[in-house]
Amino acid sequence: MKRTDIVEFYARLAATDPHPETELHFRNPFTLVVAVALSAQATDVSVNKATAALFEDVDTPEKMVALGEEGLKHHIRTIGLYNAKAKNIVALSQMLIDEFGGEVPADRAALERLPGVGRKTANVVMNVAFGAETFAVDTHIFRVGNRTGLAPGKTPLAVELVLDRVTPQPFRLHAHHWLILHGRYVCKARRPECWRCPVADLCAFRPKTAAPKTTASKLMPAA
């Protein structure tokens, strides 16, 4: 995608949602880490349902360690891989206490040392909690980057590095959110809704998906 088109691409996404935010519910950087870790191979909706009651009482690493794995499992058992996730979350909570004074570090390398926290989760936390211009590439952003031609790459890291290189100011801070929301609600995996896409003319995807047909009988007035 040409640089002028990239600027226009982001400008149009920004116009549709000037202040995008994560759809995960959280109270502080710690609960954000927990929510993002839980969202792996799960929907934000399912995570929000599971954490609504959890975060009412457990919003610090100390409280999470006190709750323990079994107590955490009770809250998150509706989420996929909840056994492994409970183990990692309690372990990362203990590490935050032991090595970081109970505070979530504003450093990607430090975040990636936490159990169950990979590069994508670290990038989300850096962006949302600390305002860093990071690009957390999930399945939606990976698809949008490749499908549109904005940031082609064979791996999430490759797409991330291209996004970091080609995304200009003033769009860098919110780029991750615009792309994930676009992939989630418009540029869908099975059938992208090109007919209502604000950047369809800038996108390399071919052929464009046509709007669903409305039958003549539905359009005709009743006799």
Side-chain angles (χ1 to χ4, degrees):
M1 192 178 291
K2 298 177 181 178
R3 180 169 179 80
T4 54
D5 289 342
I6 291 174
V7 173
E8 182 65 17
F9 182 97
Y10 279 119
R12 292 184 192 178
L13 294 183
T16 64
D17 188 0
H19 304 289
E21 297 179 346
T22 178
E23 294 186 324
L24 287 170
H25 297 167
F26 67 97
R27 293 169 176 260
N28 53 33
F30 172 70
T31 54
L32 176 63
V33 172
V34 173
V36 180
L38 289 173
S39 71
Q41 300 183 48
T43 65
D44 288 1
V45 172
S46 68
V47 172
N48 290 338
K49 288 181 179 179
T51 59
L54 174 66
F55 291 163
E56 287 286 339
D57 300 317
V58 182
D59 58 359
T60 67
E62 292 81 4
K63 291 177 182 178
M64 188 64 75
V65 170
L67 179 65
E69 284 186 41
E70 292 305 315
L72 179 56
K73 287 178 186 178
H74 174 75
H75 287 277
I76 66 172
R77 61 182 182 273
T78 57
I79 299 176
L81 306 175
Y82 72 92
N83 284 310
K85 290 177 180 179
K87 181 177 181 179
N88 283 333
I89 288 169
V90 172
L92 74 81
S93 299
Q94 188 65 59
M95 183 180 286
L96 288 174
I97 295 169
D98 294 341
E99 299 189 25
F100 300 99
E103 299 294 327
V104 175
D107 176 81
R108 181 161 54 198
L111 286 166
E112 287 189 72
R113 291 182 53 224
L114 299 174
V117 175
R119 187 178 180 91
K120 185 195 77 172
T121 297
N123 279 338
V124 172
V125 175
M126 289 292 293
N127 179 267
V128 175
F130 303 114
E133 295 174 352
T134 54
F135 302 85
V137 179
D138 67 349
T139 55
H140 296 298
I141 296 180
F142 184 79
R143 179 176 66 255
V144 171
N146 278 284
R147 181 183 277 168
T148 63
L150 172 67
K154 293 183 178 180
T155 66
L157 179 57
V159 171
E160 177 190 335
L161 294 178
V162 175
L163 285 172
D164 193 20
R165 187 178 74 248
V166 304
T167 302
Q169 295 290 10
F171 307 111
R172 293 178 61 83
L173 179 61
H174 295 312
H176 152 254
H177 288 119
W178 284 317
L179 295 174
I180 192 173
L181 294 172
H182 187 64
R184 183 174 291 165
Y185 297 112
V186 180
C187 195
K188 300 176 182 178
R190 293 187 179 182
R191 191 170 188 268
E193 299 180 359
C194 303
W195 68 89
R196 67 181 191 90
C197 174
V199 293
D201 59 312
L202 306 173
C203 170
F205 179 70
R206 298 290 186 278
K208 302 298 186 189
T209 307
K213 294 182 179 179
T214 304
T215 61
S217 59
K218 290 182 179 180
L219 295 174
M220 291 292 288

